[in-house]
């Protein structure tokens, strides 16, 4: 096939360009498809991980509802060990911590709750774990450590709960004025129709009048 002069020049330019950049183009295309394959593989892996975690978490819920703390803690450990990057690992740790505390294993409860405070992505879940960890420390009479945790500013919806526990810590230290102030804040932050207000009012009343 014959080419006119202009077409021949264009072909020569294309050949020269391909000679100079052809290898680079091939590498870019290969890298793109390799990245795409890796991304698809990662998505498949994450989905597979999540599905497996869901199956185990369902078993965990069943054990929890049945009151089988030993089984619940064992399943939670599997979820954390195998699927620690999923949201189910955080939820499983909270359940395991509750059963550990109920059985008197405070060390295990603290370990699980500390793990959640370090790994949870949602602020609310971190605040829940921090609050429960402070409660465990209070039970151990580690007042300063517990107080340090509840002095961390939580999400607004948990301000009252943090203040309530802070009041308990102050009271355990015989710091009555500080306890009264914390309980009053918790009462102020509670909903007007919440039955929880009655408990807070009892705590306040038990302290007597402020001097």
């Amino acid at each position: 096939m014959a080419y006119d002069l202009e077409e021949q020049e264009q072909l020569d330019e294309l050949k020269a360009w391909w000679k100079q950049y052809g290898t680079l183009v091939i590498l870019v295309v290969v890298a793109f498809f390799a990245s795409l394959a890796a991304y698809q593989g990662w998505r498949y892996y994450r989905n597979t991980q999540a599905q497996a975690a869901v199956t185990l978490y369902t078993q965990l819920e069943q054990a929890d509802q049945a009151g089988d703390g030993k089984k619940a803690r064992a399943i939670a450990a599997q979820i954390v060990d195998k699927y620690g990057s999923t949201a189910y690992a955080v939820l499983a740790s909270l359940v395991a911590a509750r059963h550990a505390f109920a059985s008197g294993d405070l060390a295990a409860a603290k370990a699980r709750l500390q793990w959640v405070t370090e790994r949870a992505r949602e602020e609310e879940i971190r605040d829940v774990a921090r609050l429960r960890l402070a409660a465990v420390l209070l039970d151990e009479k580690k007042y300063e450590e517990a107080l340090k945790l509840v002095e961390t500013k939580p999400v607004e919806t948990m301000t009252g709960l943090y203040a309530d526990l802070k009041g308990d810590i102050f009271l355990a230290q015989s710091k009555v004025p500080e306890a009264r102030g914390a309980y009053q804040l918790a009462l102020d932050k509670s909903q007007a129709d919440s039955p929880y207000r009655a408990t807070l009012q009892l705590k306040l009343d038990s302290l007597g009048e402020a001097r």
Side-chain angles (χ1 to χ4, degrees):
M1 181 181 294
Y3 296 99
D4 59 31
L5 183 59
E6 183 177 353
E7 290 176 332
Q8 186 61 49
E9 289 178 349
Q10 291 176 349
L11 283 173
D12 290 341
E13 289 177 358
L14 180 60
K15 289 177 181 178
W17 183 91
W18 184 258
K19 183 177 181 180
Q20 183 175 358
Y21 298 108
T23 302
L24 178 61
V25 171
I26 292 173
L27 289 175
V28 170
V29 172
V30 170
F32 170 76
F33 282 106
S35 298
L36 183 62
Y39 174 71
Q40 295 293 348
W42 174 246
R43 286 188 61 187
Y44 175 77
Y45 171 77
R46 290 294 297 272
N47 289 336
T48 301
Q49 290 281 98
Q51 290 172 7
V54 168
T55 301
L56 275 176
Y57 191 77
T58 300
Q59 297 174 18
L60 172 61
E61 287 183 315
Q62 293 171 349
D64 185 33
Q65 292 170 5
D68 191 340
K70 184 177 181 180
K71 184 176 181 180
R73 291 173 65 181
I75 297 174
Q78 290 183 58
I79 296 174
V80 172
D81 291 343
K82 295 181 179 180
Y83 313 108
S85 62
T86 68
Y88 294 99
V90 170
L91 299 177
S93 289
L94 288 175
V95 175
R98 176 161 49 80
H99 283 287
F101 182 79
S103 67
D105 190 350
L106 300 186
K110 289 193 297 182
R112 288 299 183 195
L113 292 170
Q114 185 63 43
W115 189 89
V116 175
T117 64
E118 296 170 354
R119 302 295 185 89
R121 298 173 184 174
E122 297 80 8
E123 287 185 52
E124 291 82 357
I125 294 180
R126 286 200 301 270
D127 289 339
V128 167
R130 193 178 292 115
L131 183 69
R132 293 183 182 178
L133 180 55
V136 176
L137 291 169
L138 172 60
D139 198 65
E140 291 184 319
K141 303 186 187 317
K142 296 180 179 179
Y143 305 131
E144 293 303 324
E145 291 181 47
L147 191 59
K148 184 177 180 180
L149 287 174
V150 293
E151 284 180 340
T152 303
K153 186 177 181 180
V155 293
E156 181 61 27
T157 54
M158 295 193 66
T159 300
L161 293 174
Y162 267 59
D164 182 22
L165 185 56
K166 188 182 293 186
D168 291 345
I169 298 169
F170 282 138
L171 189 59
Q173 294 176 300
S174 299
K175 297 179 179 179
V176 176
E178 291 86 348
R180 182 182 291 105
Y183 289 144
Q184 185 61 58
L185 175 60
L187 187 63
D188 294 341
K189 290 293 184 178
S190 64
Q191 297 292 328
D193 58 349
S194 172
Y196 175 55
R197 289 178 63 85
T199 300
L200 291 171
Q201 190 62 60
L202 283 173
K203 288 184 177 183
L204 274 170
D205 294 342
S206 69
L207 298 179
E209 295 293 333
R211 295 179 181 179

